[in-house]
Amino acid sequence: MIVVAEIDLRDLWRRMDEVQLGQTGRGLVVSADGIIVAHPERRYVGRMIPDALRPALEGYGGHTEYVDPLSGKTMLAAYSPVGGASGWAVIVEQERDEVFAPSRLVAILSLVILLGAVVMAVLVNTLVAAGITRPIQRLAATTRVIAETGDLTRNVPAESQDEVGELTQHFDRMIANLRAAETQIRQLNEDLEHRVLERTAQLESANAELQSFAYVVSHDLKAPLRGIRQLTAWLSTDYAERLDDEGREMLQLVMTRADRLQQLIDGILEYSRIGRDTRVEKRVELNALVQDTIGLLSPPEHIQVTVDAVLPEVVGDPVDFQRVFQNLIGNAIKFMDKPEGTVHVGCTGRASQWQFSIADNG
């Protein structure tokens, strides 16, 4: 719908000339640019209105007081916008001295009558504009808020049954559909997060079981395996003169197979550690750990392994500590070339650190 209004400036001037508001009262009409287009005194036509009257151009009604730049008189003025969003305004002003004169009541009544006449003249335009622009402005404002904040709880009530009202209803239904979709997406995300947490917990449990199995295999199988290797070494040494070439070859085959089994056990342990950090930081009692390591190594009778009376309690990964002591003590036992061998595990405190030592007479 398009509304076109035509205003005859000469008619406006005639109407402004007919305004009788005391001796100094006058009415004027200003355009949206703030230019006076109708005034009883033609010298004012084409001039800009004072800053005090600017709110009338922004769609506000009210009253104010200002000094007329031409006459130097203090004026009281009332203003009102015309046509809603048109930006035009009608202003009635009068010298302050006359307003507060005994004829003040008559001036106020004349002002009311004038404002009523002007408002009635543009009433049709205002009603039509309000019926179209106000719902659209409200719809635009709601759309802007939703775009900026994402708040889908806002609605625009339909004020009429015409095309604008139908547009508003369609907009509200669209927002309702978006709210339902958002709720569904949120529920799907929560379900997905729950499933991910469940799968992660299951994977962590499986990894923990695999790691535990690898440690059990490493701990429980290495001890008897070392016993087999030690017994084979004793047979090779103590019964060397009684064994023929085939017997010595069989013992060597046993040693080779035992080494291969040792490699397989170590491979299982390393495989369980691939792709994740298996370090477990906790307090480790080194006295018990070192004694357990010595038991796993099963040193021969001619090698005596001694440990300082008290080893400290430290924080770290017990697997790493056991691997270090196992490698160092195992090397000392393996390469011992004395008939009576000794291996000593020592510890010395240095400020906030500990220094460990593995010494042997080999």
Side-chain angles (χ1 to χ4, degrees):
M1 179 184 295
I2 300 176
V3 178
V4 179
E6 181 179 0
I7 298 176
D8 190 342
L9 293 181
R10 292 174 298 178
D11 182 63
L12 283 177
W13 292 345
R14 181 178 58 80
R15 291 179 180 273
M16 293 301 104
D17 291 341
E18 293 174 355
V19 173
Q20 296 296 326
L21 189 61
Q23 297 298 322
T24 60
R26 57 201 180 192
L28 58 146
V29 177
V30 296
S31 66
D33 298 328
I35 300 175
I36 299 174
V37 297
H39 194 285
E41 298 183 30
R42 297 297 181 263
R43 59 175 179 163
Y44 285 92
V45 175
R47 292 181 176 273
M48 298 296 293
I49 61 173
D51 293 338
L53 299 176
R54 284 285 175 180
L57 305 179
E58 300 173 0
Y60 298 102
H63 56 83
T64 186
E65 177 180 322
Y66 70 97
V67 177
D68 189 330
L70 295 181
S71 65
K73 300 290 185 177
T74 300
M75 308 296 291
L76 293 179
Y79 51 84
S80 176
V82 177
S86 68
W88 283 47
V90 61
I91 301 171
V92 177
E93 60 183 9
Q94 191 174 14
E95 291 184 9
R96 180 178 178 180
D97 294 340
E98 185 179 3
V99 172
F100 290 99
S103 58
R104 178 173 54 187
L105 180 58
V106 177
I108 293 176
L109 291 176
S110 300
L111 174 63
V112 172
I113 294 173
L114 176 62
L115 289 176
V118 175
V119 170
M120 288 298 295
V122 296
L123 181 59
V124 175
N125 182 38
T126 302
L127 292 176
V128 172
I132 297 176
T133 60
R134 184 172 58 189
I136 294 178
Q137 289 174 351
R138 185 174 300 174
L139 180 62
T142 303
T143 305
R144 182 173 61 254
V145 172
I146 293 175
E148 294 176 352
T149 65
D151 183 8
L152 297 178
T153 61
R154 295 179 174 269
N155 290 317
V156 181
E159 299 180 353
S160 61
Q161 299 300 322
D162 56 7
E163 291 82 357
V164 177
E166 185 178 355
L167 174 63
T168 302
Q169 294 175 2
H170 287 315
F171 178 82
D172 286 342
R173 283 197 290 269
M174 180 188 68
I175 294 300
N177 293 334
L178 288 176
R179 283 198 298 267
E182 184 184 39
T183 301
Q184 185 177 6
I185 292 174
R186 187 182 298 110
Q187 183 62 43
L188 291 175
N189 286 337
E190 291 176 357
D191 293 343
L192 179 60
E193 291 177 359
H194 181 69
R195 292 181 182 180
V196 170
L197 290 177
E198 288 183 349
R199 296 296 186 271
T200 302
Q202 294 174 0
L203 181 60
E204 291 178 351
S205 176
N207 288 338
E209 291 178 0
L210 175 61
Q211 184 177 0
S212 176
F213 170 76
Y215 289 154
V216 170
V217 170
S218 175
H219 185 275
D220 294 349
L221 296 185
K222 280 186 177 181
L225 181 61
R226 290 193 181 90
I228 293 174
R229 296 178 63 187
Q230 189 65 48
L231 180 60
T232 304
W234 289 344
L235 289 174
S236 299
T237 302
D238 297 342
Y239 294 91
E241 298 179 354
R242 301 182 184 182
L243 294 174
D244 55 10
D245 292 341
E246 184 178 0
R248 285 190 290 272
E249 183 179 353
M250 292 296 180
L251 289 178
Q252 183 61 38
L253 181 61
V254 171
M255 291 290 290
T256 301
R257 296 296 173 81
D259 291 340
R260 176 58 179 166
L261 183 56
Q262 176 71 37
Q263 294 175 1
L264 291 176
I265 294 173
D266 292 339
I268 292 175
L269 182 61
E270 291 299 326
Y271 177 77
S272 69
R273 301 167 70 100
I274 292 176
R276 65 181 187 275
D277 186 7
T278 57
R279 296 179 182 275
V280 180
E281 297 289 339
K282 62 180 182 180
R283 303 193 70 82
V284 181
E285 181 65 42
L286 289 183
N287 277 320
L289 185 142
V290 171
Q291 292 298 334
D292 184 54
T293 302
I294 295 173
L296 290 175
L297 292 173
S298 299
E301 294 181 356
H302 71 283
I303 299 178
Q304 184 70 26
V305 180
T306 60
V307 183
D308 280 354
V310 179
L311 293 180
E313 185 180 83
V314 297
V315 176
D317 186 354
V319 176
D320 288 343
F321 280 115
Q322 186 173 39
R323 178 179 298 178
V324 170
F325 283 107
Q326 179 178 321
N327 290 339
L328 294 176
I329 298 174
N331 287 337
I333 294 174
K334 180 178 180 180
F335 297 104
M336 177 60 65
D337 57 355
K338 300 294 190 295
E340 296 294 332
T342 60
V343 179
H344 179 71
V345 179
C347 178
T348 303
R350 293 179 175 271
S352 60
Q353 299 178 343
W354 295 96
Q355 178 176 310
F356 297 92
S357 61
I358 309 295
D360 63 81
N361 65 336

